[in-house]
Amino acid sequence: MKKRRLHLISLLLLLPFLSGCWDVKDINHRALPAAMAIDRADTGDYIVWLKIPKIGGSRNSYIIARGHHASISKAIDLISSNLDRTVDLLHVKLIFLSERLAKNNTKEVIDYALRTREIGNKTKIAVVRGDMSTFFESSHKSVAGSTSTSYDNFFSKTSGWTPDVVRSALWQVYRGSRSDTEDSLLPIVKRGESTMLFLVGSCLMKNEKLVAEYTPQESLIYNVYKGEFRNGIVQTLDHGAVRLLSADVENDTSRKGKQPVLHVKFKVKVTTLESKAGVTDAMLIRDLKMIFKKRFAKLIEISQQAHADVLGIGQHFRHHYSNEELNTWKDELFSQMETHIDVEVTIRNRGLLRN
């Protein structure tokens, strides 16, 4: 009997430590933004927008909430204080940064997104050209009629993504800002006249700042070099157009004294989509080789002038230089790099046509 009482008393003493789920908030009491936009006011304060789908509303209904404060976390806290639900950032798929913010400095934004631990490391980041308020509060809808989630579809390989669009996740941007041999590349978009987004190109980020740009055509070659080609269409001057079916890239590195030397070989397989009368395969192959060589050389030239190795070429030279020498890769070695480009083209088929 005495033992039974002791057991009962022990169980009662343990009750306060059984926390259970007392601090869990029901999903119906949470606001789950799908996208976030951040700009910086003339005063230096951050302006934060959240696109929040309405729970229980129609399929495409949402609200735009806006906060304004010297810190991003407080701006979001102010948004939350004006809602009847707690803001939960776990479902944010895209973070839009204004071009003004990207040119100024994005370090505080990237650091906040990682430190908060509410935003996933795979969240995509893009730079917006033009007025951020007009862009984010636009009522333009996607071709499917949806709104906030379509931003994610624009960068999704299973939806509307094309290899002209650069895709960069939060962890890649952070890695680029800390690496001695690699920087990051972000897509630039603006509000479309009849669509939600219009692709402008991509921007080179060095030390958390926008320093140069690629066009969409140059961004396509960047994606091919990085292994993200997926059926891209390449115009072969005035002779026609081909679709990329597969692409392999071989990098051979060496050094002349202290100067790095890069030999790049593209091996691409294509299918003919369009060709003018009298155009032969040899003419298409010649044009395609010229396009690849010219555009990749332009990528290297822009990167070297900006001292931003967004292609991650420095990674291939790690066995040629010491860690102390690689510390100067972006500012000294990379700008001195000599590049040789070779392109091998195979036309695998011509669709259902015969020459």
Side-chain angles (χ1 to χ4, degrees):
M1 189 66 182
K2 188 176 181 180
K3 285 186 176 179
R4 186 177 295 176
R5 286 182 179 174
L6 287 174
H7 288 158
L8 182 60
I9 292 172
S10 299
L11 289 173
L12 291 173
L13 290 174
L14 288 173
L15 283 177
F17 299 99
L18 301 176
S19 57
C21 301
W22 60 271
D23 61 341
V24 172
K25 291 183 180 179
D26 190 274
I27 192 170
N28 292 330
H29 298 153
R30 296 183 181 190
L32 303 171
M36 174 191 294
I38 303 174
D39 194 3
R40 202 150 197 176
D42 295 335
T43 59
D45 289 355
Y46 286 104
I47 308 173
V48 180
W49 294 263
L50 297 176
K51 183 165 274 190
I52 306 171
K54 288 183 179 178
I55 298 177
S58 63
R59 179 171 173 268
N60 302 319
S61 60
Y62 62 92
I63 64 169
I64 300 293
R66 172 175 165 159
H68 185 182
H69 199 269
S71 74
I72 300 171
S73 54
K74 185 58 182 176
I76 295 175
D77 185 55
L78 291 174
I79 292 174
S80 186
S81 63
N82 293 325
L83 298 174
D84 57 347
R85 293 177 173 83
T86 301
V87 172
D88 191 331
L89 302 176
L90 287 172
H91 289 254
V92 170
K93 300 295 182 185
L94 266 163
I95 298 176
F96 292 104
L97 308 177
S98 70
E99 187 175 11
R100 173 171 51 180
L101 177 61
K103 287 181 176 177
N104 183 267
N105 200 325
T106 61
K107 183 178 187 305
E108 293 180 8
V109 177
I110 302 302
D111 286 354
Y112 159 77
L114 287 168
R115 283 175 176 162
T116 184
R117 298 187 179 183
E118 292 184 6
I119 301 174
N121 292 340
K122 294 182 179 179
T123 299
K124 299 290 183 300
I125 300 181
V127 172
V128 173
R129 177 158 292 169
D131 182 66
M132 181 67 90
S133 179
T134 303
F135 168 83
F136 205 62
E137 297 179 10
S138 166
S139 60
H140 276 184
K141 296 182 179 180
S142 76
V143 291
S146 55
T147 52
S148 55
T149 55
S150 299
Y151 289 144
D152 187 36
N153 291 340
F154 188 80
F155 298 96
S156 171
K157 285 187 175 181
T158 59
S159 299
W161 181 81
T162 71
D164 293 356
V165 181
V166 171
R167 303 174 345 126
S168 292
L170 177 60
W171 69 269
Q172 291 172 313
V173 178
Y174 180 78
R175 180 191 61 183
S177 67
R178 299 299 190 275
S179 172
D180 291 331
T181 54
E182 189 170 5
D183 290 292
S184 58
L185 191 68
L186 294 178
I188 306 176
V189 296
K190 66 179 183 180
R191 182 189 178 196
E193 293 183 1
S194 58
T195 58
M196 290 185 69
L197 301 178
F198 179 86
L199 178 65
V200 177
S202 52
C203 59
L204 290 73
M205 301 295 291
K206 182 187 178 184
N207 298 332
E208 294 96 5
K209 292 182 181 179
L210 190 161
V211 292
E213 292 184 23
Y214 288 158
T215 65
Q217 293 74 29
E218 292 161 353
S219 301
L220 169 66
I221 303 302
Y222 167 87
N223 277 330
V224 172
Y225 182 79
K226 301 294 281 186
E228 295 208 2
F229 51 87
R230 191 157 180 165
N231 295 333
I233 297 175
V234 181
Q235 188 77 23
T236 55
L237 301 182
D238 296 328
H239 292 150
V242 298
R243 183 191 298 278
L244 285 172
L245 298 177
S246 65
D248 291 318
V249 180
E250 294 178 357
N251 293 284
D252 185 18
T253 56
S254 59
R255 55 182 291 182
K256 293 179 181 176
K258 196 176 179 181
Q259 182 187 26
V261 180
L262 173 68
H263 296 263
V264 178
K265 185 173 185 179
F266 290 92
K267 293 182 177 180
V268 297
K269 293 181 180 178
V270 301
T271 183
T272 306
L273 293 179
E274 297 177 48
S275 64
K276 304 297 183 184
V279 173
T280 63
D281 286 355
M283 296 170 70
L284 288 175
I285 290 173
R286 183 195 61 200
D287 287 352
L288 198 58
K289 285 183 176 180
M290 187 175 69
I291 285 176
F292 264 77
K293 287 183 178 181
K294 185 177 179 181
R295 290 183 186 172
F296 190 75
K298 188 66 177 179
L299 292 186
I300 296 294
E301 180 187 349
I302 294 172
S303 299
Q304 288 179 319
Q305 288 177 353
H307 299 285
D309 185 6
V310 294
L311 293 157
I313 293 173
Q315 299 286 346
H316 301 295
F317 283 90
R318 283 196 165 276
H319 60 289
H320 289 295
Y321 298 94
S322 65
N323 290 334
E324 289 73 21
E325 290 174 310
L326 287 174
N327 287 336
T328 64
W329 172 258
K330 295 180 184 176
D331 293 324
E332 297 180 16
L333 294 174
F334 180 53
S335 59
Q336 302 170 11
M337 187 181 72
E338 178 181 314
T339 307
H340 302 275
I341 308 165
D342 189 18
V343 184
E344 180 181 299
V345 179
T346 303
I347 298 181
R348 201 171 74 177
N349 61 60
R350 303 173 186 82
L352 300 175
L353 301 178
R354 288 186 177 181
N355 281 349

